[in-house]
Amino acid sequence: MKTELVINEKLHDDEVKIHTKTATAGARILSYIDHFTTDRENLIIRSDEEFLMIQKLDIICAEVQDKTLTIYTQNEQVMTTKSLSGLMEEIKSETFLKVSKSEMLNIQMIDRVEPSFSGNLIARMKNGKKVSISRRYVSLIKERLGI
């Protein structure tokens, strides 16, 4: 991969252009950039009458069961009534992908991906949790991981 940094003091705002041969390479580069910028921000999550500050970078995955969203981080599980789509919108990061109608994951926290039945995949996360990737999202996760 060839890289180049061009400094142009005449620009009004910082501007970054990424030229890639494939969409996969572009998605991976955007994910890395996102990881080092927006993923270091904090989210405020309401849980059991308290507000917790969670760094986006620490989120491994999240799942919804019975209208309760459980967010798995490096150190804890946080339960809230927030919706999965609401969490995804609040995160706004290329590092996080919705992988089924009830689960999302941080692609930086995937340890390995294994095939499952019916064309699904299973992502084994760094904390040991298994996350099911439905067929609808398999091509997206493969593109993002470059596999």
Side-chain angles (χ1 to χ4, degrees):
M1 178 185 299
K2 183 177 111 178
T3 59
E4 177 183 5
L5 173 64
V6 177
I7 308 296
N8 183 348
E9 294 176 358
K10 295 178 183 176
L11 291 174
H12 295 294
D13 293 320
D14 286 334
E15 180 180 307
V16 176
K17 293 181 182 178
I18 299 170
H19 302 271
T20 65
K21 186 174 182 177
T22 65
T24 301
R28 291 179 77 193
I29 291 168
L30 287 176
S31 176
Y32 290 128
I33 291 170
D34 217 30
H35 178 70
F36 290 105
T37 55
T38 60
D39 291 349
R40 298 202 181 276
E41 298 170 359
N42 287 326
L43 294 176
I44 298 174
I45 304 294
R46 182 181 177 150
S47 176
D48 295 331
E49 303 303 321
E50 65 182 356
F51 293 92
L52 302 168
M53 291 188 56
I54 299 173
Q55 195 173 44
K56 291 180 189 179
L57 188 65
D58 290 337
I59 297 173
I60 295 172
C61 58
E63 67 181 349
V64 174
Q65 288 183 346
D66 300 324
K67 297 185 181 182
T68 299
L69 177 67
T70 303
I71 301 169
Y72 297 88
T73 69
Q74 301 277 19
N75 305 315
E76 62 187 329
Q77 296 177 22
V78 177
M79 299 175 87
T80 182
T81 57
K82 183 183 287 285
S83 70
L84 184 62
S85 59
L87 177 65
M88 291 293 294
E89 188 171 316
E90 195 173 338
I91 288 175
K92 291 181 188 165
S93 171
E94 296 291 322
T95 306
F96 294 87
L97 291 177
K98 187 173 180 181
V99 293
S100 71
K101 73 177 190 175
S102 62
E103 293 184 279
M104 57 80 77
L105 56 73
N106 178 343
I107 62 172
Q108 301 291 332
M109 295 292 184
I110 296 174
D111 193 34
R112 65 179 170 263
V113 177
E114 305 166 345
S116 182
F117 63 91
S118 303
N120 295 354
L121 295 175
I122 299 290
R124 290 190 183 250
M125 308 306 289
K126 293 189 188 249
N127 68 345
K129 180 152 176 51
K130 293 179 184 179
V131 177
S132 179
I133 302 166
S134 73
R135 284 183 302 185
R136 181 178 178 189
Y137 296 93
V138 166
S139 61
L140 179 61
I141 195 88
K142 282 183 173 182
E143 178 183 311
R144 196 62 61 83
L145 295 175
I147 55 176

